[in-house]
Amino acid sequence: MTLHEPIAIGRLASPRPRLAEILLWLTPAVAYFLFPDNLALGVSIMTYAVAVLALDLALGYAGIVSLGHAAFFGIGAYTAGLLTIHGWREPLTGLLIAGAVSLCAGFLGSLLVVRGKDLTRLMVTLGLGLVVFELANRMSGITGGVDGLSGIDVAPLFGVFEFDLYGRTAWWYSYAVLFGVFVFLRVVLASPFGLSLRGIREGGKRMPALGASVESRLRVAFTLSAGLAGISGGLLAQTTQFVGVDSLSVPLAAEFLVMLVLGGTGRLYGALAGTALFLIARERLADLNPVYWEFWMGVLLMAVVLFLRGGLVGALARLWARLRPASEGGAR
Amino acid sequence: MMRRHALGLLLAASALTAAAPAAFAAETAETVKVGLVLPMSGPFSQYGRQMENGIRLFLQEHGDSVAGKKIELVVKDDGGIAPDRARRAVQDLIVREKADVLVGFAFTASAMASAPLAKGAERAMIVTNASSSGITSASPYMLRVGQTLPQITEPAGRYAAEQGYKSIYTLVADVTAGHDAEAAFKRGLTAGGGEVAGSLRVPAQNPDFAPFIQRIKDARPDAVFVWLPPGEATINFIKEFNQRGLAAEGIAMLGTGDLTDELTIEATGDAGLGVVTTGHYSMAHASPENEAFVKAYLAAYPKDKWPNFLAVSAYDGMAALYLGLEKTGGDASGPALAAALAGASWESPRGPLLIDAETRDVVQTIYVRKVETLDGRLSNVEFHEFPESRDSAVH
Amino acid sequence: MTSVIGVLFDGLAYGSLLFLVAVGLSITMGLMNFINLAHGAFAMIGGYFSVWLTQKTGLPFLATLPFAFFGAGLAGLAAERLLFQRLYKASHLDQVLFTVGFVFSSIAAAHYFFGAGQQFVSTPGFLQGQLRVAGVDLGKYRLFLIAVVILLTIALHLMFAKTRFGAQVRASVDNQDAAAGLGVNVGLVFSLCFALGSGLAGLGGALGVEVLGLDPTFPLKYMVYFLLVVVVGGAGSLRGPLIAALILGVFDVAGKYFIPQAGAFIIYVLMIALLLAFPSGLGGRRA
C-alpha cells in the first residue's frame, strides 16, 4: 500500500484491540495518580481530543478540510450550557442532546460544504464559522455574548459524583466520553461505510463505479463529525461550568486543525497525540515565558513539519515500519 | 594560603546555597502567593503588560512584605478573551501553585469563568479590569478595583445632556460591552432630559469605518457618542471622522476613556484634539499621588509608555491587597480579605477610591476630559467631575 | 444620487485596499499553489519597515514604501530559500501547519522587537482630507490607494505577460518538469516569485497601516481577509482577485451604509455565495 498508510498503524485501525492499545489507554489513568495536581490540563486535553477526533473523521477519513468545526463545538457547548441553566441539569442526557443539536447543524452545513475543492471547502466552512460566531455574538440575550454564559451548575454524575474543584469527576467523565467516542469511531471506520470513505479519499472519481454515492457519504461523514464536535463542546460546558463565545471562534477551529495535523491526519491516535502535544506544550511554554511563548510554539510546529512529515503518529508509524520490515508486511 | 581561603569561601558559599531551600520551606507559611491571571500574549498582550507593570511597581515602591508576610507573584497567561484558559490557569494556581489570592482578569468572561472556582476554594479575586456590570455577585470573595462600563459611561450621557445637544447619535461596537455602553449612555442622557436621535452598531472587527461615518455625516447630528474597543478601531475611527470633515462641520465626538486611551491617542495625530471622554483615570490627572506614580512608572518601564488605566487599576489591586492583609494581620483567605476590604477606601493615583461595603464593587470619581496638547503630547485634560460614581446598570 | 456615488467610491477604495494587502498572496498561493498562511507576516514586516524608517530616519511615509517592498521581499526570499522551498512538495496540510507555526513565531518576534502597541505613520498633508469633485467628497488617501492599484495592476500584468521572467514564471507554474527541461531555473523562478509575493505583501502592509493599524497580531487578525480575496478571486490569475476585492469592497461598504444592522454578515455571506456559485473562483482556471 502507499507509505502514508503503514502496516503497524493499519493494524491498529482494525476493530480488534491490541495489547499496545490497552496499555496506551491506561496511561491517562496512570497520569491521574502520578499528577493529581494537573487534572485540569488532563480534562482539557481529553475534551478537545474529542473535537479533534471528530475533525479527523471529516478531514483525515472523508477528506473534507474544515475551518468551521468550532461552530459545531460551540453549538454543542451552548446547548449543554443553556440546558443546564434552564433546569435540565443531568449531564449525560445533556451531552447527548448537545451532540444531537450539533448533528442537525452539521447536516445543514454539509449541504454547503461537500462541493468544491480543498480551498473552497476551507473558505466555505470558515465563512459558516464566522456567521455562526457573529449570530451568537448578536444574540447576547441568550448566549451572554462576549461576556459568556455563566452559572452552569451541572447535577452530580449518576446523581452521586459532584463536579469538584480538583476536577476529579470531570476527569473520569471526560476520559469515559473520549473512550466512548473513540470506540464509536473505530467501529464506524471499520464498517463498509468507513471503508467507502477511504475509497473516496484515495480516488473519489472511481467510487461511483463501485456503486457508492460519493456526495451522500461525505455528507454523512461531515454530519457525524459535527455531532461529535458538539459532544466535545458539551463536555467543555459541563466540566468548566462556562461557555465563552470564543468556543465558536475561527481561531479555535484553526487550533483543532493544527492539533490534528500535528498528530497526523487519518489516524485516530494522531488526533489524540496532537491534542496532547499541543496543549501540554502551550501550557508549559506559557508557564516558562508567559509573553513570548508563541515563538517557541511556532518553532515546534515548524520543526514537526520539517522533521516529522505526516505528524507525530505518522512519523512513528514510518519508523515502526522501517524497524520491522517484511515480517509483518503480508499481514494485510 | 590564598588558595585555602578561596576554598573556604567556596565551601561557605555552597553551604549557604544548600541552606537556602530549607529556609525557604520554613518560610512558605509566611508567604502570600499571588496568582496573576493576565493576557500576556495575543491581541491584548499590552493590557497584560500594563497590569503586570502596575503590580510590580507597587511592590517596588512598598516592599514585598506586608503584615509579616512575603508577597510572591506567579504570572499566568490567559491569552486574551479565552475564559477556558483563564479558568484552567486559576485551577492550576489554586491546586498546583497553592496561590492564596488571585489578581488580574482583563475580561468579564475570564472573571466569570473563574468565579465558581475561587468561590469554592474561598480565594479572594481582585478584579483589575473586567468591566461588565454586577460581576462581583458571582463570588462573595470577588472585589473590583478597576471600573465598570456603566460607571464610566453614564456620566458621558449626563454631560451630553448638560451641553444641551439637540440631536445625538450613538455608535458602538456590536458586542456586549458596546450594547452596555449604548444603554448606559442613553440612561445618563435621558436622566438629564436629552434624547438619542439614532443608534448604530458596528462589527467589532471592522477595517473601514467610512460607511458608518458617512451615515452620521448625512444625518448631521450635534454630537456622536462612540464606544469601540481601544486599538486600531478607535484610532481609525477618530482619523476617518476628521478626514470626512465631521469635526470641521462642528459635530462633537464623545466617548469613554477607551476612545482616547493614553496608548492609542498619539496615533490619531491632531485628529484627536478636542474629543471629550469620560473616564476614571487620565495620566494628566493633577494630584501629587499621580505625579509620583507616573514618574515612577516611566522610570521603571521607559519602553512601555505610557501608564494608562490598566496600570493604575493593577497598582490599586495590590494596594487593596496590602490594605486587606494589614487589616487581617496577614490572613489571606477569601472570607477574611473580602470582609476587611468591604467599605475600605484610599487615595489612588486616579483620585479617591472606595470599595462598596455591600457589592464589593468600585466607587470612584468619573472625570470629563478633553484631548489637548500638554507637554508636547496629546493628553486627556480633566475639566469636570462626577464624584462617587457607581456601577449603575439595572439587571 | 450623490450618496450612491460616494458609497461606490468608498467601496472601490476599500476594495483597492483589500487587493493591495492580498495581491502578494495571489502570487504565492494562487500562482505557486503553496498554502501560504504566513502572508500576513510579510505584510507586517513591510509595515514595520515603513514605521521604523519614518520614526528613526524621519523619511517621509511615501519614501519608505519602496523600502517596505524590498525589505519584505528580501525577508521573503530568505525565508523561501531557508524554509519554504522545502515544502513545495509537501501536502497542503503540512504547508498549513508550517506557515501557522511561522506566523506564531513572527508574532512573538514582532512583539519582542517592537512592543505590543499600535504603530502609526503620518501620511503627507496632501493625502489628507477630501477632494470635492462634482458635488461628491472623495477621500484623498482613498484616491491614492485606487491609483496605486491601477498602476500596480498594469505593472504586474506587463511583467507577467510581456517579460522573459513572466514567461518563465508561467511556464514553471504550468509544468515544472517541462520548464526545467527547456532550461528554466525553476528553483530560482520560484524563489523570485515568492520574493515578489512577499514584497507586495510588505507594500500592502505599509499602505494599510493608515487604515488597518499595525501590531504584532496583524498576520492573524487579517488572515481571513487575505484568503477571502484570493480564494474568491480564484487561483492563478491577477484579474480574479482584483475583481473579487472590488466586489467585496463595494458590497461591504454599500451594505454597511444602507443596511448597517447586517454589517458583519455581508462580506461572509457574499463570500459563501460567490464560492458556491464559482467553486474555482471568479477568475480561476478550470481544474
Side-chain angles (χ1 to χ4, degrees), chain C residues 2-3 24 27 38-39 42 44 50 92 114 124 145 150 170 176 183 196 198 205 207 213 224-226 231 277:
Chain C
T2 52
S3 78
I27 291 176
H39 174 76
F42 295 102
M44 177 171 76
S50 180
H92 279 172
F114 299 101
L145 289 179
I150 293 173
R170 279 178 290 137
Q176 287 191 32
L196 176 66
S198 305
L207 286 167
V224 171
Y225 293 88
F226 312 144
V231 179

Side-chain angles (χ1 to χ4, degrees), chain B residues 40 42-43 45-46 200 203 205-208 210-212 214-215 217-218 232 235-236 239-240 243-244 266-267, chain C residues 10 14 111 116-118 120 128-130 137 142 210-213 217 221-222 225 253 256-258 260 263-264:
Chain B
M40 298 307 297
S45 54
Q46 218 178 2
L200 280 178
Q205 184 166 24
N206 186 50
D208 186 11
F212 298 116
Q214 188 61 42
R215 249 186 109 88
K217 188 179 179 182
D218 295 347
E232 72 274 4
I235 297 170
N236 188 357
K239 277 190 189 165
E240 189 63 31
Q243 298 266 317
R244 279 193 186 248
E266 209 180 343
Chain C
D10 284 336
Y14 180 48
H111 186 178
Q118 279 291 334
F120 58 95
Q128 289 173 10
Q130 289 181 304
D137 292 325
R142 286 165 190 268
E210 173 73 6
V211 182
L212 305 175
T217 58
K221 203 178 339 186
Y222 296 111
Y225 293 88
V253 168
K256 282 172 176 166
Y257 182 81
F258 292 111

Side-chain angles (χ1 to χ4, degrees), chain C residues 59-99:
Chain C
L59 221 58
F61 170 64
L62 291 182
T64 65
L65 293 178
F67 291 96
F69 175 79
F70 286 108
L74 279 177
L77 186 66
E80 197 267 355
R81 290 259 109 174
L82 288 171
L83 299 169
F84 294 126
Q85 64 163 343
R86 295 160 203 265
L87 294 161
Y88 288 148
K89 297 230 155 52
S91 73
H92 279 172
L93 289 175
D94 278 337
Q95 293 172 351
V96 164
L97 190 62
F98 190 87
T99 50

Side-chain angles (χ1 to χ4, degrees), chain A residues 262 277 299-309 311-312, chain C residues 97:
Chain A
L262 191 60
L277 175 69
V299 170
L300 174 77
L301 298 187
M302 289 190 279
V304 165
V305 178
L306 286 181
F307 303 113
L308 303 173
R309 242 351 114 67
L312 282 181
Chain C
L97 190 62

Side-chain angles (χ1 to χ4, degrees), chain A residues 62-318:
Chain A
I64 306 171
V65 58
S66 166
L67 261 183
H69 261 54
F72 307 119
F73 178 85
I75 287 172
Y78 276 110
T79 306
L82 287 169
L83 276 175
T84 317
I85 285 176
H86 292 103
W88 189 288
R89 296 177 55 232
E90 205 288 314
L92 284 173
T93 46
L95 201 59
L96 287 177
I97 298 172
V101 172
S102 291
L103 195 80
C104 296
F107 173 71
L108 294 178
S110 75
L111 300 177
L112 296 178
V113 300
V114 169
R115 261 163 289 175
K117 288 182 298 182
D118 278 0
L119 264 181
T120 313
R121 281 171 173 165
L122 188 85
M123 292 309 284
V124 170
T125 50
L126 175 81
L128 288 178
L130 288 164
V131 167
V132 172
F133 176 88
E134 201 48 47
L135 280 174
N137 177 41
R138 282 289 184 85
M139 298 191 294
S140 57
I142 302 169
T143 61
V146 175
D147 286 354
L149 194 64
S150 52
I152 300 172
D153 186 16
V154 184
L157 192 58
F158 306 122
V160 181
F161 302 104
E162 291 267 5
F163 284 90
D164 54 307
L165 173 66
Y166 291 89
R168 292 191 191 110
T169 306
W171 196 94
W172 288 109
Y173 182 49
S174 45
Y175 182 48
V177 172
L178 174 63
F179 186 70
V181 168
F182 185 89
V183 170
F184 172 76
L185 277 177
R186 181 67 84 70
V187 171
V188 166
L189 290 171
S191 70
F193 168 72
L195 294 177
S196 71
L197 281 185
R198 283 190 228 186
I200 292 168
R201 193 192 57 179
E202 298 299 328
K205 286 187 184 126
R206 268 169 280 154
M207 283 310 281
L210 300 173
S213 157
V214 172
E215 221 174 77
S216 72
R217 264 154 224 244
L218 293 184
R219 207 171 284 156
V220 170
F222 189 83
T223 305
L224 210 53
S225 163
L228 294 176
I231 288 186
S232 173
L235 205 52
L236 179 86
Q238 293 178 341
T239 56
T240 63
Q241 301 168 280
F242 192 87
V243 186
V245 78
D246 64 309
S247 65
L248 286 162
S249 68
V250 166
L252 182 66
E255 271 177 22
F256 291 157
L257 191 63
V258 165
M259 291 190 236
L260 178 59
V261 181
L262 191 60
T265 53
R267 303 185 159 85
L268 296 182
Y269 284 109
L272 303 187
T275 314
L277 175 69
F278 184 86
L279 289 177
I280 292 173
R282 187 172 72 183
E283 204 85 352
R284 291 297 157 249
L285 290 174
D287 276 351
L288 290 176
N289 188 337
V291 185
Y292 303 117
W293 61 270
E294 271 177 308
F295 184 81
W296 301 109
M297 195 73 199
V299 170
L300 174 77
L301 298 187
M302 289 190 279
V304 165
V305 178
L306 286 181
F307 303 113
L308 303 173
R309 242 351 114 67
L312 282 181
V313 176
L316 264 180
R318 245 179 301 141

